[in-house]
Amino acid sequence: MKKLSAPFVFVALLGAAGFAHANGCSVSLKSNDAMNFDRTEATVSASCATITLELVHTGKMPAAAMGHNVLITAAGDREAVARDAIKAGAANHYAPKNDPRVIAATTVIGGGGRTSVAFPGAKLTPGADYTFFCSFPGHAMLMKGKLLVTR
Ligand code: CO
């Protein structure tokens, strides 16, 4: 029995990981000390039970000077949420609390850091206009991109 169960678990895990990547259930973004993301577009699927959004900061500067996070909102909400994010402050990782406009928000990280957040694909409507951006003060105009949502 033990000889059979280990390979079964391995194959099951492998299958789950493959499914996640093949179906747009995860997005990984890189950021740096030059205040940008490594991409301006990403695609996810609304049919994913869980979408994982990961952010890596490949720079060296501390979070207080060159902090980055990622927020997902409807494209039309970005500017207003970015303003409210500054009011929310560093203690809230520059994310307005309990705000329905914020679909997902990571913590703020500094150089060498890594963070991620998971949210249900059901929060997104296929074909609608979404954006991902960094809400650290002064970054939202440069650090932003389109989030395309498929079924
Ligand atoms: Co930033």
Side-chain angles (χ1 to χ4, degrees):
M1 208 48 199
K2 275 180 185 172
K3 276 185 180 176
L4 287 175
S5 62
F8 172 77
V9 168
F10 176 72
V11 169
L13 288 173
L14 202 65
F19 181 87
H21 289 290
N23 292 282
C25 298
S26 65
V27 171
S28 187
L29 295 169
K30 287 194 177 73
S31 57
N32 55 33
D33 286 342
M35 210 193 289
N36 56 45
F37 287 127
D38 65 333
R39 55 205 288 192
T40 55
E41 202 171 282
T43 302
V44 294
S45 168
S47 63
C48 299
T50 301
I51 294 172
T52 303
L53 175 64
E54 181 192 48
L55 175 66
V56 176
H57 190 325
T58 61
K60 290 189 163 59
M61 293 173 71
M66 186 53 73
H68 300 310
N69 64 2
V70 187
L71 268 61
I72 292 175
T73 68
D77 287 337
R78 183 179 59 227
E79 288 183 22
V81 171
R83 280 194 299 271
D84 291 345
I86 294 169
K87 289 178 208 153
N92 290 310
H93 294 269
Y94 298 108
K97 272 194 152 183
N98 302 317
D99 187 325
R101 296 172 301 172
V102 179
I103 295 161
T106 71
T107 56
V108 171
I109 53 172
R114 179 184 293 266
T115 183
S116 69
V117 65
F119 63 100
K123 282 191 162 186
L124 301 169
T125 304
D129 289 334
Y130 295 97
T131 181
F132 62 85
F133 65 98
C134 174
S135 65
F136 190 88
H139 290 201
M141 290 304 289
L142 284 171
M143 299 184 73
K144 63 184 179 186
K146 263 188 188 184
L147 184 72
L148 305 172
V149 180
T150 61
R151 281 189 197 287

